[in-house]
Amino acid sequence: MASATEPHRRQLDPSELGTKEYWDVVYDRELRNHENDADDEGTVWFSESNAEDAVVRQLNKLQEAGFLRRDGVSGDDSQPDNVTERAKHAASSQSSRFLDLGTGNGHMLYQLREEDDDGNVWSGEMIGVDYSEASIKLAQGIATQKYGNDTELPASLCFYCWDLLSSPPGDWLADGFHVVLDKGTFDAISLMDHEAASRHPCETYRHKVTPLLKAGGFLFITSCNWTKDELLDWLVTEEGELAFFDEAKYPTFIFGGRTGQSIVTIVLQRRRG
């Protein structure tokens, strides 16, 4: 049964940025631009804040702590009871699987496929989803351009048209993901119009996104519309499965005597299966 949004939560006024029609127009244009100029891959959201680099640094921290794995290895068959230890056990036995929500042109996933300064890459299966068909065509076209007919591409880097809020996941969900990435999708959802008496789209997001994660898996949300505390207010509830785990660091500024930053990236962990 739909529940009314708790009154203390700040809500954003609906905007065209919260409509599918807006993003279809954006990605139709970027798709045409890419078809006319292969070097034009479209917008990389939050690039001015180096958000993708911040996300990669957080992923590296999780890998170094044993929660995630770039390359799969054989692990033992025992299953620890503690969620944190189960997450580390899973990461030790297979390459971490990634889901990119609102993938756009897929750039976040390409970034993970790039070698770092030590020659390391994230090699596990990566799925990009977006509710704009033009976005998926753009991402697929860029992937083909980058990787050609590489035999590993179809199996480990795929893009699907999918609406998180209104459609069930496809077979690509399998048994869930170690990491779900969201760079601006929650922002767009928070700008959707909705009936006052119905569940707010941000609440629907929480209910829909949690089952995409394996137990102990991580949700990364990067936002320019919400503060850390506001994101936690929407997504971490007393009865819910998501818990705050970490926060990326960005340069801060002082305005009106208050310290802030232009965007925020938080990391949440699914607490139970």
Side-chain angles (χ1 to χ4, degrees), residues 164-166 199-209:
L164 168 69
L165 299 189
S166 64
R199 175 185 285 166
H200 192 280
C202 291
E203 294 178 330
T204 302
Y205 174 99
R206 182 179 71 245
H207 288 278
K208 295 286 188 176
V209 78

Side-chain angles (χ1 to χ4, degrees), residues 103-120:
T103 194
N105 60 6
H107 196 272
M108 184 71 247
L109 298 184
Y110 308 140
Q111 180 86 343
L112 297 179
R113 279 286 194 258
E114 296 291 328
E115 289 188 357
D116 63 17
D117 293 339
D118 297 319
N120 299 313

Side-chain angles (χ1 to χ4, degrees), residues 81-194:
D81 293 330
N82 180 272
V83 168
T84 297
E85 293 305 316
R86 288 209 313 271
K88 290 185 177 182
H89 175 84
S92 72
S93 61
Q94 60 178 304
S95 298
S96 297
R97 297 184 76 224
F98 287 80
L99 177 66
D100 189 26
L101 291 176
T103 194
N105 60 6
H107 196 272
M108 184 71 247
L109 298 184
Y110 308 140
Q111 180 86 343
L112 297 179
R113 279 286 194 258
E114 296 291 328
E115 289 188 357
D116 63 17
D117 293 339
D118 297 319
N120 299 313
V121 300
W122 292 92
S123 61
E125 184 181 20
M126 297 182 182
I127 304 293
V129 295
D130 202 292
Y131 68 177
S132 172
E133 185 176 350
S135 157
I136 298 304
K137 289 181 178 179
L138 174 62
Q140 290 171 334
I142 296 172
T144 299
Q145 178 182 316
K146 285 180 176 293
Y147 305 108
N149 293 319
D150 191 326
T151 55
E152 66 96 33
L153 176 60
S156 63
L157 180 59
C158 300
F159 297 96
Y160 299 99
C161 191
W162 181 59
D163 188 333
L164 168 69
L165 299 189
S166 64
S167 302
D171 293 340
W172 45 261
L173 175 62
D175 61 347
F177 294 88
H178 297 95
V179 179
V180 173
L181 302 169
D182 176 337
K183 185 159 60 72
T185 296
F186 185 79
D187 279 357
I189 286 173
S190 69
L191 295 171
M192 288 180 171
D193 199 2
H194 72 288

Side-chain angles (χ1 to χ4, degrees), residues 167-264:
S167 302
D171 293 340
W172 45 261
L173 175 62
D175 61 347
F177 294 88
H178 297 95
V179 179
V180 173
L181 302 169
D182 176 337
K183 185 159 60 72
T185 296
F186 185 79
D187 279 357
I189 286 173
S190 69
L191 295 171
M192 288 180 171
D193 199 2
H194 72 288
E195 298 291 336
S198 66
R199 175 185 285 166
H200 192 280
C202 291
E203 294 178 330
T204 302
Y205 174 99
R206 182 179 71 245
H207 288 278
K208 295 286 188 176
V209 78
T210 303
L212 302 176
L213 290 161
K214 292 175 176 288
F218 298 93
L219 170 64
F220 281 61
I221 293 191
T222 300
S223 170
C224 63
N225 288 345
W226 303 99
T227 66
K228 169 189 171 182
D229 289 342
E230 288 173 327
L231 288 173
L232 295 180
D233 195 33
W234 278 114
L235 299 169
V236 177
T237 62
E238 185 175 345
E239 73 283 1
E241 299 181 40
L242 297 175
F244 176 73
F245 188 87
D246 203 355
E247 177 185 12
K249 303 301 181 185
Y250 291 99
T252 59
F253 60 87
I254 298 177
F255 181 77
R258 300 183 65 180
T259 301
Q261 56 192 44
S262 59
I263 66 170
V264 61

